């Protein structure tokens, strides 16, 4: 069952409030503007003028200086927490006291301990929650997996997760503690895809080295997933390469590089381009499907696959930690 299929026809859109008014809040507002599931009713940010500027641009009735003020003035039925990576875990904890379903951008925490605290707090406060691993909702991924399953089993999952570390450092947009924790702050996007495609790894053999970054920046790992599916993860953060996924099936290989584009190659040498859904055009990929899943969670309390809550995000954080274990300085 898809998330949208479970939303009752003619259901009133849910009133949603945004916490955080930066670049990703803007992307979510563009997706919300096209979503039948939500009406954005206000935005809160640390600096109220930032919230006012974004609210003015998108015609939102309320701009607030805190999540509590947003809830009091805009009466949302759900909240999206979209603040800077170093503020995600503390602001998420703050929002759990407001009694609303939460969509949380990744990373909820810059280390495993912070992610554990957030997951525990959500459990204790019984807060329905979803973490924004939007790549799980790429239409090209779903179509590529279909092509594998039409011909048999998924045999292997190979992921390249090379971060562009020099670019990240060069922008000046990220605090040093976020850059030092980049493994959790950003590399978890591709590490999460190992779990998305393969399931929970049963065996991980990981090697890691560090040219510059304290938690490692050179990764090579072999994994085994349920059903004997094999996988690999490689990442070299100071070399050109970027992100890529290759899925191996019976007589078919599917490749996504960059991740937003797909192509299937068959045993006879023929190649088929995999196009994204037309409804994704103009939006950040995966955001529409992600919103539909969050609406279903907010309406019914059910978090449908492939969505991840804080417990799932914690498994991804732990896998990231495992891949980086024992990082050795490059000689
Ligand atoms: N899923 C994806 O593909 C994707 C892509 C990019 C980013 N992200 C995630 O989205 C989040 C936001 O990224 P961004 O690029 O939008 O960052 P950004 O442009 O720096 O904006 C961050 C926003 O958070 C607000 N903020 C910071 N601390 C706060 C606090 N304690 N309370 C309330 N508001 C606070 C800032 O407030 P003021 O400016 O008002 O002071 C700003 O409006 C990050 O966690 C990032 O990892 C996800």
């Amino acid at each position: 069952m898809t998330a949208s299929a479970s939303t009752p026809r003619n259901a009133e859109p849910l009133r949603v409030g945004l916490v955080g008014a930066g670049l990703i809040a803007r992307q979510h507002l563009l997706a919300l503007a096209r979503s039948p599931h939500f009406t954005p009713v206000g935005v809160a940010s640390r600096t109220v003028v930032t919230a006012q500027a974004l609210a003015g641009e998108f015609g939102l009735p309320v701009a607030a200086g805190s999540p509590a003020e947003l809830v009091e003035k805009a009466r949302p039925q759900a909240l999206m927490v979209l603040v800077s990576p170093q503020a995600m875990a503390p602001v998420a904890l703050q929002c759990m006291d407001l009694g609303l379903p939460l969509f949380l951008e990744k990373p909820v925490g810059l280390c495993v301990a912070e992610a554990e605290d957030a997951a525990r707090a959500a459990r204790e406060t019984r807060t329905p929650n979803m973490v924004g691993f939007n790549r799980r909702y790429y239409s090209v991924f779903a179509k590529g997996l279909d092509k594998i399953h039409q011909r048999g089993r998924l045999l292997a999952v190979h992921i390249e997760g090379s971060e562009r570390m020099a670019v990240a450092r060069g922008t000046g947009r990220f605090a040093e503690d976020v850059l030092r924790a980049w493994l959790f702050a950003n590399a978890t996007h591709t590490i999460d895809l190992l779990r998305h495609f393969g399931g929970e790894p049963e065996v991980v053999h990981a090697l890691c080295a560090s040219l510059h970054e304290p938690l490692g920046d050179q990764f090579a790992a072999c994994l085994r997933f349920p059903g004997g599916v094999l996988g690999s993860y490689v990442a070299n953060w100071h070399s050109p390469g970027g992100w890529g996924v290759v899925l191996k099936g019976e007589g078919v290989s599917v490749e996504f590089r960059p991740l937003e584009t797909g192509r299937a190659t068959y045993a006879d040498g023929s190649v088929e381009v995999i196009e994204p859904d037309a409804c994704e055009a103009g939006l950040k990929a995966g955001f529409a499907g992600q919103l539909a899943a969050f609406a279903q969670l907010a309406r019914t309390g059910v978090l449908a696959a492939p969505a991840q809550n804080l417990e799932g995000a914690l498994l991804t954080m732990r896998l990231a930690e495992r891949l980086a274990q024992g990082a050795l300085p490059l000689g």
Side-chain angles (χ1 to χ4, degrees), residues 19-25 45-47 50 82-85 87-88 91 105-107 132 134-135 173 185 189 284 287:
V19 179
L23 293 180
I24 211 69
S45 199
R46 179 179 51 185
T47 315
T50 320
L82 315 169
V83 299
S84 322
M88 272 306 307
V91 175
E105 260 302 347
K106 45 52 65 182
N134 58 302
R135 273 129 194 113
R173 287 190 57 224
H189 266 308
K284 193 165 167 60
F287 270 31

Side-chain angles (χ1 to χ4, degrees), residues 124-141:
E124 286 171 3
T125 56
R126 296 172 182 266
T127 303
N129 68 87
M130 171 175 172
V131 180
F133 287 110
N134 58 302
R135 273 129 194 113
R136 287 176 172 254
Y137 290 91
Y138 277 18
S139 57
V140 289
F141 286 175

Side-chain angles (χ1 to χ4, degrees), residues 42-269:
V43 57
S45 199
R46 179 179 51 185
T47 315
V48 77
V49 288
T50 320
Q52 283 165 345
L54 196 64
E57 187 184 335
F58 283 87
L60 311 185
V62 173
S66 71
E69 185 191 344
L70 174 67
V71 169
E72 189 195 322
K73 291 188 172 157
R75 298 278 160 216
Q77 296 163 289
L79 284 179
M80 300 181 77
V81 184
L82 315 169
V83 299
S84 322
Q86 69 275 27
M88 272 306 307
V91 175
L93 294 180
Q94 212 182 318
C95 289
M96 284 177 203
D97 290 335
L98 298 171
L100 294 173
L102 300 180
F103 173 90
L104 306 160
E105 260 302 347
K106 45 52 65 182
V108 189
L110 292 181
C111 62
V112 168
E114 247 190 330
E116 281 170 350
D117 287 348
R120 187 180 318 110
R123 233 176 289 133
E124 286 171 3
T125 56
R126 296 172 182 266
T127 303
N129 68 87
M130 171 175 172
V131 180
F133 287 110
N134 58 302
R135 273 129 194 113
R136 287 176 172 254
Y137 290 91
Y138 277 18
S139 57
V140 289
F141 286 175
K143 291 174 188 178
L145 263 181
D146 255 10
K147 292 186 190 303
I148 299 265
H149 289 139
Q150 276 162 20
R151 282 159 187 82
R153 290 169 302 175
L154 174 67
L155 301 174
V157 177
H158 300 296
I159 293 188
E160 176 173 359
S162 294
E163 297 290 320
R164 292 184 297 168
M165 211 52 223
V167 175
R169 287 195 169 276
T171 61
R173 287 190 57 224
F174 302 102
E176 185 56 31
D177 55 347
V178 174
L179 291 165
R180 289 175 71 82
W182 201 249
L183 174 71
F184 300 111
N186 210 58
T188 41
H189 266 308
T190 51
I191 292 169
D192 182 64
L193 290 178
L194 288 166
R195 297 183 50 246
H196 174 56
F197 289 116
E200 303 309 331
E202 293 172 346
V203 180
V204 179
H205 295 292
L207 297 172
C208 179
S210 167
L211 180 63
H212 298 306
E213 302 304 326
L215 301 182
D217 47 30
Q218 314 294 316
F219 300 84
C222 298
L223 305 96
R224 195 181 68 215
F225 299 99
V229 175
L230 299 183
S232 66
Y233 182 82
V234 294
N236 304 91
W237 294 6
H238 301 285
S239 314
W243 291 355
V245 170
V246 178
L247 304 178
K248 297 287 182 183
E250 298 182 55
V252 54
S253 296
V254 182
E255 181 169 6
F256 307 94
R257 183 185 285 278
L259 296 187
E260 291 73 17
T261 66
R263 55 185 211 143
T265 306
Y266 297 98
D268 65 2

